[in-house]
Amino acid sequence: MNDSRDRFGRWIDCLLDPSRSPGDQRQAAQEWCEWGLDLLGVDENELATRPDAFSADCRLPIGKAISPLGAARCVREYRRTAVFLQAMDAALRCARKRFPGERIHVLEAGCGPLAPLALPFALRYPPDEVIFSLLDLHPIAIEGTRRMARELGVRESVRGYLAADATTIQFSEPDRPHVIACEVLLRALKSEPQVAATRNLAPQLRRGGIFLPERIDVDAGLFDQAKWTRALTSPMKEGEEGLSPIQELGRVFGLDASAVNELQPRGAGRFAATAVNVPPHDPERTPLHLFTRIRVFGDHRLGDFDSSLNLPERVKYPAALAVKGGLVEFYYEVSADPGLRLVGLTASGSNR
Ligand SMILES: C[S@@+](CC[C@H](N)C(=O)[O-])C[C@H]1O[C@@H](n2cnc3c(N)ncnc32)[C@H](O)[C@@H]1O
């Protein structure tokens, strides 16, 4: 086994093993990212002063495609990377049971230059059992994945390198994937095109196929940051739920990959979201936030504070809401800057 394969295999073993310590997993993810950037000849310090195509985001009419550098750095979010890898591992096992005797076709859409949800499994399965398509909007990211696949000796496992848009690409019947992993995501489903990509790709799975993440929920709540900071230093004991830093107010929006066609249009480029009742509150101490909860596959989930994708997102709203409380309505907008928008509010006691 070559040195790269050997080291790569150890990082992946570590991240796939839920019993490994956060410290070990953080180190594995760091080393993986550094190794990848080294292999591509990328010097992060130099890019900070002299940006180039590798460090440039791309703005699209449906959201931002973060730069190849930004995408590679995502691997360092070790908890996110570990949970996605464990979910992919489980999804592949499940797909092999669901499609006995078939060669499983996996698409990583928005793979960045390291293709972290595909190449680890190219190393673990022979190409006659599992084959991968790697897709990214940035051609330079796709060039990166070619280099990675060569270094790892898994070129035969890659069926296609696709410099294409995940929100518009169409697969012919024989090319439909059995498994699609697509993480083009930011907290509260903002800025990046996860909704548009899921709507385009999930219906193109083979019947019975698997899409990761399976479900993303955005919930509203009043968030007490001071209480949360205190809970970090002295964790809650059983029966102390009342001390939770989040007062849950309900689901605002859900993106279920198996039911994307059920999103209700609300005018051009808009989807309906659910209104939530917000009680009167102190806007300084417990402002309204959105919480992003992700079921990647089965029991593999990313919850509050697990990664940057799950950080609370503060909502901007009129001061009157905090004083009187009321019903807050949202919609989800698919645009160059996608995300949830507050459409209006009905103050408590008013009859709008
Ligand atoms: C958050 S990174 C994720 C990288 C990798 N899949 C991972 O999980 O670490 C998102 C990647 O998706 C790509 N991307 C964003 N929008 C895209 C689109 N519409 N079509 C194809 N790729 C897209 C970006 O270029 C970036 O490489």
Side-chain angles (χ1 to χ4, degrees):
M1 195 182 256
N2 75 33
D3 183 47
S4 285
R5 275 177 78 109
D6 192 28
R7 292 166 66 206
F8 191 85
R10 274 188 272 119
W11 298 323
I12 303 308
D13 286 347
C14 174
L15 289 159
L16 280 175
D17 181 351
S19 71
R20 294 293 292 267
S21 71
D24 284 354
Q25 293 195 329
R26 184 186 296 116
Q27 188 174 343
Q30 287 277 359
E31 288 180 9
W32 177 3
C33 180
E34 251 97 274
W35 165 83
L37 291 175
D38 267 5
L39 202 63
L40 299 175
V42 173
D43 179 335
E44 288 183 83
N45 294 329
E46 200 177 308
L47 277 184
T49 51
R50 266 188 287 147
D52 67 10
F54 200 82
S55 58
D57 294 340
C58 175
R59 298 245 161 224
L60 299 165
I62 39 67
K64 180 172 72 171
I66 63 166
S67 70
L69 178 63
R73 283 175 168 163
C74 289
V75 166
R76 288 190 183 134
E77 281 217 45
Y78 72 96
R79 177 89 187 120
R80 179 211 71 111
T81 302
V83 170
F84 266 86
L85 280 178
Q86 289 164 19
M88 271 304 275
D89 188 39
L92 277 174
R93 287 171 204 270
C94 176
R96 279 161 51 80
K97 281 200 191 118
R98 268 189 209 171
F99 301 99
E102 288 186 38
R103 177 150 80 160
I104 303 299
H105 176 203
V106 178
L107 168 70
E108 182 176 359
C111 58
L114 305 189
L117 308 180
L119 293 179
F121 301 98
L123 216 64
R124 295 171 95 90
Y125 289 100
D128 56 340
E129 291 182 16
V130 184
I131 197 99
F132 298 85
S133 294
L134 308 179
L135 180 151
D136 201 280
L137 194 85
H138 292 277
I140 198 171
I142 291 299
E143 279 317 303
T145 62
R146 274 185 204 278
R147 177 77 187 90
M148 296 289 139
R150 196 165 69 236
E151 179 71 14
L152 293 169
V154 295
R155 277 188 296 179
E156 307 226 317
S157 295
V158 183
R159 168 181 168 149
Y161 296 92
L162 309 170
D165 185 341
T167 68
T168 56
I169 190 169
Q170 294 297 311
F171 292 94
S172 64
E173 192 58 40
D175 289 338
R176 285 176 180 252
H178 298 81
V179 177
I180 299 177
C182 178
E183 198 273 72
V184 292
L185 175 61
L186 206 58
R187 64 184 176 278
L189 289 167
K190 68 173 194 171
S191 306
E192 293 187 44
Q194 186 76 26
V195 172
T198 306
R199 272 173 44 80
N200 180 49
L201 294 174
Q204 298 191 62
L205 278 168
R206 251 158 228 269
R207 185 190 291 272
I210 299 170
F211 191 93
L212 285 77
E214 290 183 310
R215 189 173 170 101
I216 302 170
D217 287 310
V218 183
D219 300 333
L222 299 180
F223 176 48
D224 186 332
Q225 176 137 20
K227 211 182 240 185
W228 178 66
T229 312
R230 278 200 303 280
L232 278 183
T233 45
S234 53
M236 270 186 285
K237 299 188 189 79
E238 218 175 311
E240 287 187 335
E241 286 79 13
L243 298 178
S244 167
I246 304 168
Q247 182 183 344
E248 301 283 347
L249 299 178
R251 177 130 314 143
V252 172
F253 190 73
L255 178 65
D256 185 331
S258 67
V260 277
N261 293 331
E262 289 166 25
L263 287 176
Q264 294 299 317
R266 245 202 96 167
R270 293 180 176 186
F271 295 105
T274 311
V276 286
N277 251 312
V278 178
H281 58 277
D282 177 343
E284 299 302 322
R285 204 175 55 82
T286 55
L288 181 62
H289 279 75
L290 297 173
F291 296 87
T292 311
R293 289 140 183 183
I294 306 170
R295 191 176 83 221
V296 188
F297 180 70
D299 289 337
H300 301 279
R301 294 167 189 266
L302 285 166
D304 299 337
F305 310 104
D306 275 341
S307 75
S308 67
L309 304 178
N310 312 98
L311 293 179
E313 174 72 7
R314 196 168 173 157
V315 181
K316 288 196 186 108
Y317 52 94
L321 176 67
V323 179
K324 293 190 172 175
L327 188 69
V328 176
E329 280 184 62
F330 294 87
Y331 64 86
Y332 188 88
E333 181 176 275
V334 176
S335 66
D337 183 21
L340 281 158
R341 308 274 183 264
L342 196 150
V343 65
L345 57 94
T346 314
S348 296
S350 88
N351 48 6
R352 194 172 71 139

